[in-house]
Amino acid sequence: MSSSFLTIDSICKRYGLLRALEAVSLDVTQGEFLTLLGPSGSGKSTLLAILAGFAEPDQGIVRLNGRDITRLAPEARRFGVVPQGYGLFPHLTVYENIAFPLRVRRSRSASINGRVRQVMELLQIGSVKSRLPRELSGGQQQRVALARALSFEPDLLLLDEPMSALDALLRRDLQAELVRLHRQVGTTFVYVTHDQQEALALSDRIVVLNHGRIEQIGTPRSIYAQPATRFVANFLGKNNLLQATAAIGPLGRLHFHWNGHRIAAGVTAPFEGPCSLTIRPEAIVLTKVGHSSQGTKDRILGTVVNHTFHGASADVIVAVGHESLTVTLTAAASPPVPGDEVWLAFDAERLWCLPEADTISPAASATSPELAA
């Protein structure tokens, strides 16, 4: 697969004094599922609009297979777009909505009929082909919008938070459908969302945006396990950020000093000194005092402050000295109650650290934050 299918080079966009995008650069590989993830105002939808041709950047270039398409009209780009709210024509049937892009491109009638039937079968919506959009459920409308965007076999599919209006259960079902669809058609997907779990579930790679700049690019697993900045560590899932000091022992082993405790680590770090130690709540083992014969070495004593039941899991807040952290337990475990003393053990292989001065590495393709739209 080509690594330069779609190139975004130093894109900047401003709306008055607001900087929506500031020097954004990245390459999209042909056939991958790339997600633009960030909070409201991070610039992700602005970047998608520039890719679609609905907005022009103030600076920078967009290239497709090496060709400059920065000023190319949207209809000349052969990009499929699935907007928020789906954008279906309310007066057209499902069949007519899907056929519309083909008719605009003056495809032959026989070709249109065959292609519409093909994508309706792919999206499993053939049974509703004669219905109007108002007669469909939210999930069916989304499938029609996807079918319409794929009907003319686009070079790239752009999706702007297409599941934002759906309930949680339907979103989970359609996430699995979208992964299946991507694998089956092989089209490059660029997907916008503010939902961290959605990004983790769908993506080959994630681009984390904040204030119009890229904070980090990587696979879901690498970004989750090794966040480049405090923003990424806090934004992408639950995390414990602890003020600690990194040190290298006599044998070159990394360890941390935190809250009067020495914590061994199974990772390396390019620095020593003050840092933010990160540990995911599920990477901490909690046992009640007196319920284990294991020694106290490498364990930390704490007191339960609160716990919250989530169905499949429970979050337990534990105070250790003047600080507190969150531990996630499976529903099968019997959660301790406030006031219980507990032992905590950190998974050494899942510890990570950031320098206390939260600079962003060159690999993260970002600099200091700016005001963004």
Side-chain angles (χ1 to χ4, degrees), residues 47 77 117 188-189 197 208 268 272 291 306 347 365 371:
L47 181 55
R77 298 191 182 206
R117 290 182 183 279
T188 306
F189 283 20
Q197 295 306 313
V208 183
T268 59
E272 294 185 81
H291 285 212
N306 192 17
D347 184 341
S365 302
L371 189 62

Side-chain angles (χ1 to χ4, degrees), residues 218-291:
T219 65
R221 188 175 297 275
S222 67
I223 289 180
Y224 186 81
Q226 299 178 345
T229 67
R230 289 178 65 89
F231 172 81
V232 176
N234 279 318
F235 184 71
L236 201 69
K238 299 173 185 175
N239 213 338
N240 294 294
L241 271 74
L242 310 173
Q243 296 306 304
T245 302
I248 306 296
L251 299 177
R253 300 285 181 85
L254 177 69
H255 63 272
F256 300 98
H257 295 285
W258 171 68
N259 207 0
H261 300 278
R262 184 182 183 277
I263 303 169
V267 297
T268 59
F271 62 87
E272 294 185 81
C275 67
S276 292
L277 172 62
T278 75
I279 180 72
R280 296 288 180 181
E282 68 274 15
I284 304 173
V285 177
L286 179 152
T287 54
K288 297 178 184 178
V289 170
H291 285 212

